Amino acid sequence: MSSRADVFSAGLWLRFGRPSRYLLFLLAGCSLMISGCGDRPAVSQPAGDQNADRQVASPASSQVTSNSQDSTTSRTSQAAQRRVAEIASNMQDEPEMVVPDADPQAFASSQTGGESNPRAQMAARPAGPELATLPAPAKTPAELEALGFRVITSPHIVIVTDLPLAEVAKLPELGEALLQRLQSDFHIKWPENQQLTGYVMSDMTSFRETGLLPEDLPGFLHGRHRGSEFWMKMQATPYYLRHLFLHELTHVVTLIGVREDLPVGFKEGIAEWYATNFIDEAGKPYFGVLPGRPEDFAGWGRIGLIQEDLATGKGRSFADLLTIDAHEFSTNDDYAWAWLWIQFCSQHPTYGPDFAKLRTSRTLEEFLQSARRADQTSTTWLSSDWLRLSTDICFGYDTALAATLHRPMEPLAVQPVTRSIAAKAGWQSTGLLVPQGTTIRLRAKGQVELNRTTRPWISQPQGISVDYANGQKLGRLMAWWGIPDLPLTAHGAEFTEVIPAGQIARLTAPREAVLFLRINDHFYDLANNSGEYEVVIEQDVE
């Protein structure tokens, strides 16, 4: 049986004749069904505290390098064994907990989350007529308690469990908060009298013997949903118990009825993105956050998996999320990349507004129709921006400040051109389109402040050795050749290679590309920077 990606690609080709461009809108449009276009995702500091002091990582800890051949072989073998085991279960399972080593780039403090900004002029529509036909629970709470289970209820959620109440008591309240967010983001209305039921299990045997775990439900390793019910196993950490609960709840709310027909990468990415949560000291939950500190997300591990894949040459292209078949989508790596795909599309400051109009689509046909009407003015850099983010992503990544900044392209002139490169930003386009094989010269001057402890950390373009970021001196001028109109299927380290430029450099364009520059710093630590370098760029005529 062909995959959903085949259906999408064929449909886009027949309808539009430009599959790469319309595939772009279809993919990103799907992900922007959530309201991320107007939200600020979680970054390394809570709102209103962007200038709080940051800790400092050591030079060695800030580097991401390839592992040895032996460790690579071992990891590849383990991944293959994991994939075989999971595919053999003949189901689309939910992601298992990951317990990676401490992330070397992680020390961001508490999170803030994207608050929903629903459009008041749009009337919410029902979640779907199929809700009216969902069967009522087979047993009442009193009957379930008589069987020895613990039951916790809220207006729309019932939790049935054999775990101690202390471990699950707050799940319904947390689920109610997410339900409100999903209704707003997906522009649906969940019926007031409809409850969804989650079975959180330690001993699956007792659930099966009492009929709470249906015999016809396909086997699963971690969790599975069907209709208005979901089943999940206990997890080793409190965070991942919440995460898997929210993942399954998102499936139930967003995939009732016709939406089950969506591509598996999109469905799982949406569930992963919303399930990535943080609860602040006041008890307020945030959903769809970008994790700050690994210790607050024990068992999540998605960023570490992405970094491992990149280190071993297994990065994913933007189009990969629709080219994977449902039966092949099974490993933790798949879930990690699906999460990043939704994070990219929903939170990107350039693409988000263009794609937001597609979020109310509920069928494949609606996706295609919306894609035909989508604005096509901002697609030039999508593939390059995706590869850049997947390479730079880290705990506490500052989505607002670190996003790649673009400017209109212009041919490389004979006369020197001057550009100002800000310290409080990520990659910044010079706008200069340099022909393949052409060599340019850079001359940089100025100074910036990158941190402040007992005294300011002042750097010039050659950088300072008081700290290292991404394997290079803090404050050093860095360069990257960004490729416009890069195919959505492109991936590989050659498209994201970073060049340490410093004060003076000669660079040769490996292909026709635009020169991007940035001042080296951790992507989680840009908010306390100030100042800029002045860079003179000219063609090398020698």
Side-chain angles (χ1 to χ4, degrees):
M1 181 175 67
S2 63
S3 68
R4 294 289 175 203
D6 297 332
V7 175
F8 265 59
S9 299
L12 291 171
W13 179 266
L14 290 173
R15 288 172 178 268
F16 310 123
R18 293 284 303 278
S20 60
R21 182 171 298 278
Y22 284 98
L23 179 60
L24 156 65
F25 281 99
L26 177 58
L27 294 172
C30 293
S31 62
L32 257 295
M33 292 172 60
I34 55 185
S35 65
C37 61
D39 294 351
R40 172 71 181 268
V43 291
S44 55
Q45 296 293 335
D49 192 26
Q50 293 298 323
N51 294 319
D53 289 339
R54 314 288 181 92
Q55 294 173 299
V56 178
S58 66
S61 69
S62 65
Q63 301 182 45
V64 179
T65 58
S66 300
N67 293 328
S68 66
Q69 182 176 359
D70 289 343
S71 62
T72 299
T73 302
S74 175
R75 186 163 56 245
T76 302
S77 176
Q78 292 173 2
Q81 293 173 6
R82 184 170 67 246
R83 181 177 291 275
V84 169
E86 291 172 344
I87 291 178
S89 65
N90 191 30
M91 50 78 189
Q92 295 173 36
D93 193 29
E94 305 308 347
E96 64 182 300
M97 188 181 77
V98 180
V99 187
D101 294 332
D103 190 281
Q105 303 193 24
F107 51 77
S109 66
S110 50
Q111 322 301 301
T112 70
E115 291 297 332
S116 179
N117 290 315
R119 294 191 172 110
Q121 68 272 24
M122 299 176 65
R125 59 183 174 181
E130 62 277 0
L131 287 175
T133 63
L134 289 176
K139 293 180 174 62
T140 66
E143 291 172 328
L144 292 169
E145 291 174 348
L147 292 172
F149 297 105
R150 299 172 181 87
V151 182
I152 313 171
T153 63
S154 65
H156 301 98
I157 298 169
V158 177
I159 297 295
V160 181
T161 186
D162 58 349
L163 296 177
L165 281 179
E167 297 186 26
V168 295
K170 294 184 178 180
L171 291 183
E173 179 183 358
L174 184 65
E176 292 286 349
L178 178 57
L179 178 60
Q180 292 300 314
R181 172 75 182 272
L182 293 172
Q183 289 185 89
S184 174
D185 288 1
F186 282 83
H187 207 56
I188 59 177
K189 182 173 178 57
W190 190 265
E192 287 298 323
N193 60 351
Q194 176 67 50
Q195 284 188 309
L196 54 88
T197 303
Y199 302 93
V200 185
M201 305 175 290
S202 173
D203 178 13
M204 294 179 65
T205 301
S206 60
F207 284 82
R208 191 172 294 281
E209 290 177 347
T210 54
L212 299 180
L213 183 60
E215 293 289 343
D216 63 344
L217 187 72
F220 58 92
L221 297 176
H222 307 286
R224 176 170 284 280
H225 75 280
R226 186 168 69 183
S228 62
E229 298 178 297
F230 62 88
W231 297 260
M232 55 176 282
K233 298 180 182 179
M234 66 176 294
Q235 300 297 310
T237 70
Y239 170 79
Y240 208 74
L241 182 70
R242 296 199 315 266
H243 183 98
L244 189 56
F245 167 74
L246 296 172
H247 182 111
E248 295 297 344
L249 186 148
T250 300
H251 276 325
V252 170
V253 175
T254 62
L255 297 178
I256 286 288
V258 295
R259 295 184 58 81
E260 288 282 6
D261 199 34
L262 299 177
V264 62
F266 169 69
K267 292 189 297 185
E268 298 300 343
I270 284 287
E272 274 295 285
W273 189 82
Y274 276 103
T276 307
N277 70 94
F278 179 80
I279 301 176
D280 66 17
E281 294 180 356
K284 181 179 180 179
Y286 299 92
F287 310 105
V289 304
L290 203 159
R293 301 183 305 182
E295 57 264 37
D296 292 330
F297 299 83
W300 184 71
R302 305 297 179 246
I303 289 174
L305 292 172
I306 290 168
Q307 292 173 341
E308 286 185 10
D309 279 354
L310 290 171
T312 54
K314 300 175 184 176
R316 310 283 180 95
S317 73
F318 183 84
D320 278 342
L321 263 293
L322 278 188
T323 63
I324 186 169
D325 185 88
H327 297 292
E328 297 174 352
F329 193 103
S330 58
T331 69
N332 284 331
D333 304 62
D334 294 328
Y335 286 95
W337 286 99
W339 163 79
L340 184 64
W341 191 74
I342 297 299
Q343 170 67 28
F344 172 78
C345 292
S346 65
Q347 300 301 312
H348 197 285
T350 299
Y351 309 126
D354 287 341
F355 301 139
K357 61 178 70 72
L358 304 179
R359 69 186 180 189
T360 57
S361 300
R362 292 178 60 81
T363 67
L364 296 177
E365 181 63 25
E366 286 185 17
F367 286 157
L368 292 173
Q369 291 176 354
S370 297
R372 295 182 68 180
R373 297 189 297 267
D375 179 18
Q376 302 179 36
T377 61
S378 60
T379 62
T380 298
W381 289 105
L382 187 132
S383 187
S384 286
D385 282 357
W386 159 256
L387 296 177
R388 187 73 268 160
L389 174 67
S390 65
T391 301
D392 297 338
I393 191 68
C394 61
F395 279 85
Y397 180 91
D398 193 326
T399 304
L401 295 179
T404 302
L405 301 178
H406 297 281
R407 62 187 299 164
M409 288 184 287
E410 60 185 81
L412 179 65
V414 176
Q415 299 299 320
V417 175
T418 301
R419 295 286 186 260
S420 296
I421 304 302
K424 198 172 184 175
W427 289 103
Q428 300 155 63
S429 172
T430 65
L432 300 176
L433 184 62
V434 181
Q436 182 177 4
T438 300
T439 299
I440 61 174
R441 288 186 294 176
L442 305 182
R443 290 178 287 113
K445 64 179 181 180
Q447 67 179 32
V448 297
E449 181 177 321
L450 301 174
N451 204 341
R452 184 182 290 267
T453 51
T454 56
R455 58 190 177 91
W457 292 13
I458 304 298
S459 178
Q460 295 180 342
Q462 66 270 25
I464 53 176
S465 57
V466 66
D467 188 17
Y468 283 69
N470 311 301
Q472 295 290 332
K473 291 181 179 180
L474 200 71
R476 189 166 192 174
L477 183 67
M478 310 297 288
W480 161 55
W481 293 107
I483 304 172
D485 294 313
L486 189 66
L488 298 179
T489 54
H491 64 90
E494 67 269 24
F495 301 118
T496 56
E497 180 182 4
V498 173
I499 307 164
Q503 191 170 24
I504 301 174
R506 295 176 72 251
L507 307 175
T508 301
R511 55 184 63 83
E512 184 179 54
V514 170
L515 178 67
F516 287 76
L517 300 171
R518 73 178 293 258
I519 296 173
N520 191 42
D521 198 356
H522 305 284
F523 286 99
Y524 51 70
D525 202 19
L526 301 177
N528 58 2
N529 294 352
S530 62
E532 59 187 27
Y533 294 155
E534 185 178 275
V535 184
V536 177
I537 306 163
E538 60 184 332
Q539 186 171 350
D540 190 346
V541 296
E542 295 181 3

